[in-house]
């Protein structure tokens, strides 16, 4: 039969904007495979045949390695773009093109932006803001001649797109990520999307209401080096965990910040943000508990309640104090 195209992407701002830039440059009609942000083992959902063509964006290779190797053995062509930690050696195969950069100031949309020579850069700026890479976003935005108010609107969009990906399942979300991608797919210009699509106002209103509730929660741990907030078992808490963690990191950047929230199966999710100069990266900390991430941001899913005391102890031990480096 005819070959099938698959576009497989994380449901957050970075995954959506990375795919969007790529498809503006190289349009194709593809089966979309995505989900909530924590659904990162997406490749195993594919039922692909020899000759099919798969593009993968912003999901960690380690969670998908077995499924990736199986696809390649089947005779499926794969392009893989990502910025999360990947164990070496990286797979090598004639049908595989791999673009992975784990530098701390890079997200998947920045990798795609490089590849496209900055053709749809407003969307890379949106994504970088969504991933809380504020300096990288500002640097990219400075290459475009746009007023500060536009950059602020792009930041709001990135934060809203990112917020919309957090939840236990798509029923927690304001809008499903696939639907959100389809809504913004026609827009080369992020500003036009912001002005014309009512879904953004719905997402922004929900995010604002959720943040008000999160900000009312007192921390369980509040030391010189780290805070830990435990949010209640509620859809709003599952939605806001990432936005809240980013807010804490941005407003108090000298300390590490952990946010916990329970899920339907009684397990917990952890969102962790740590200073750039912290002795232990967020990814390394989260890997101790079966999670992962990047230098300054990481997370764990499926933490059993009995692990929480150890999480607390290790946070206090790992992030004892803000750095003694010059505080400029």
């Amino acid at each position: 039969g005819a070959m099938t195209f698959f576009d497989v992407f994380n449901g957050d701002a970075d995954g959506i904007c990375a795919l969007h830039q790529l498809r503006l440059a190289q349009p194709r009609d593809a089966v979309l495979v995505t989900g909530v942000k924590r659904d990162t083992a997406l490749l195993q959902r594919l039922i692909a045949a020899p000759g099919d063509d798969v593009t993968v964006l912003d999901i960690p290779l380690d969670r998908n390695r077995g499924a990736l190797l199986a696809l390649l053995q089947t005779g499926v062509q794969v392009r893989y773009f990502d910025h999360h930690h990947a164990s070496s050696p990286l797979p090598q195969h004639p049908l595989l093109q791999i673009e992975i950069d784990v530098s701390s100031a890079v997200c998947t949309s920045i990798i795609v932006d490089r590849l496209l020579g900055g053709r749809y850069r407003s969307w890379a700026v949106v994504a970088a803001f969504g991933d809380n890479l504020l300096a990288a976003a500002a640097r990219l935005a400075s290459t475009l001649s746009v007023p500060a108010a536009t950059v602020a609107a792009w930041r709001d969009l990135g934060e809203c797109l990112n917020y919309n990906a957090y939840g236990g399942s798509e029923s927690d979300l304001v809008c499903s990520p696939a639907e959100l991608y389809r809504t913004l797919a026609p827009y080369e210009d992020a500003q036009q999307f912001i002005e014309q699509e009512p879904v953004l106002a719905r997402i922004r209103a929900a995010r604002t209401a959720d943040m008000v509730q999160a900000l009312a929660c007192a921390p369980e741990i509040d030391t010189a080096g780290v805070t830990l907030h435990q949010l209640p078992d509620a859809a709003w808490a599952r939605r806001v965990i990432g936005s809240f963690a980013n807010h804490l990191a941005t407003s108090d950047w000298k300390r590490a910040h952990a946010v916990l929230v329970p899920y339907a199966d009684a397990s917990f999710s952890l969102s962790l943000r740590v200073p750039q100069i912290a002795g232990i990266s967020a990814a390394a900390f989260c890997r101790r508990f079966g999670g992962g991430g990047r230098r300054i941001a990481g997370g764990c899913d499926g933490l059993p309640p009995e692990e929480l005391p150890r999480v607390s102890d290790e946070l206090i031990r790992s992030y004892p104090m803000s750095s003694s480096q010059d505080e400029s």
Side-chain angles (χ1 to χ4, degrees):
M3 73 184 279
T4 305
F5 292 110
F6 294 90
D7 286 337
V8 182
F9 59 105
N10 190 259
D12 73 351
D14 191 25
I16 288 173
C17 293
L19 176 61
H20 182 40
Q21 291 174 85
L22 204 56
R23 292 293 155 252
L24 285 171
Q26 301 157 9
R28 70 183 200 184
D29 203 12
V31 176
L32 301 182
V33 181
T34 187
V36 297
K37 186 180 176 82
R38 69 208 294 258
D39 286 344
T40 56
L42 293 175
L43 277 190
Q44 63 201 37
R45 296 190 190 172
L46 265 60
I47 300 169
D52 286 350
D53 186 314
V54 176
T55 298
V56 187
L57 302 125
D58 198 40
I59 56 173
L61 190 120
D62 288 352
R63 290 277 317 266
N64 292 278
R65 195 177 285 254
L68 172 61
L69 296 174
L71 287 169
L72 295 168
Q73 274 162 356
T74 303
V76 175
Q77 190 160 322
V78 182
R79 291 175 86 191
Y80 204 115
F81 300 88
D82 190 44
H83 69 123
H84 299 93
H85 167 86
S87 310
S88 47
L90 296 178
Q92 287 190 308
H93 194 280
L95 292 175
L96 176 64
Q97 180 192 339
I98 207 159
E99 305 275 352
I100 289 185
D101 181 345
V102 299
S103 316
S104 61
V106 166
C107 59
T108 308
S109 287
I110 290 176
I111 298 171
V112 174
D113 174 77
R114 265 184 218 154
L115 190 89
L116 300 178
R119 260 177 83 187
Y120 303 105
R121 180 155 289 169
S122 69
W123 290 105
V125 174
V126 167
F129 277 127
D131 257 11
N132 214 38
L133 300 174
L134 306 185
R139 197 162 52 243
L140 272 181
S142 72
T143 67
L144 305 169
S145 317
V146 293
T150 301
V151 178
W154 290 350
R155 175 172 178 171
D156 175 71
L157 173 58
E159 291 175 351
C160 285
L161 292 178
N162 208 55
Y163 154 82
N164 182 71
Y166 283 89
S169 65
E170 293 200 2
S171 61
D172 281 344
L173 311 185
V174 178
C175 182
S176 86
E179 190 187 330
L180 194 51
Y181 167 72
R182 285 193 193 98
T183 307
L184 61 79
Y187 294 92
E188 279 193 28
D189 177 2
Q191 201 52 37
Q192 274 192 310
F193 172 79
I194 291 166
E195 287 162 14
Q196 292 175 24
E197 288 298 337
V199 68
L200 181 57
R202 281 178 28 229
I203 294 170
R204 188 187 296 120
R207 179 172 180 260
T208 303
D210 291 354
M211 281 291 281
V212 167
Q213 298 201 71
L215 289 165
C217 294
E220 311 275 316
I221 294 174
D222 192 357
T223 70
V226 65
T227 71
L228 170 69
H229 289 78
Q230 188 169 321
L231 302 182
D233 183 357
W236 72 262
R238 291 186 286 276
R239 284 194 301 263
V240 84
I241 180 173
S243 290
F244 184 48
N246 285 343
H247 168 81
L248 293 169
T250 305
S251 52
D252 176 10
W253 53 269
K254 289 179 181 168
R255 293 196 286 175
H257 301 280
V259 185
L260 281 166
V261 70
Y263 279 79
D265 61 2
S267 76
F268 284 79
S269 261
L270 174 77
S271 260
L272 179 64
R273 304 290 180 268
V274 310
Q276 184 74 46
I277 49 178
I280 295 164
S281 75
F285 183 92
C286 291
R287 281 202 295 276
R288 295 178 194 170
F289 297 93
R294 305 179 282 113
R295 168 102 201 109
I296 57 172
C300 310
D301 288 316
L303 286 170
E306 55 273 18
E307 279 279 73
L308 299 190
R310 188 165 81 87
V311 171
S312 299
D313 292 346
E314 298 240 346
L315 281 168
I316 292 166
R317 197 163 66 242
S318 301
Y319 304 104
M321 188 58 205
S322 55
S323 159
S324 57
Q325 280 184 310
D326 190 9
E327 299 186 345
S328 52

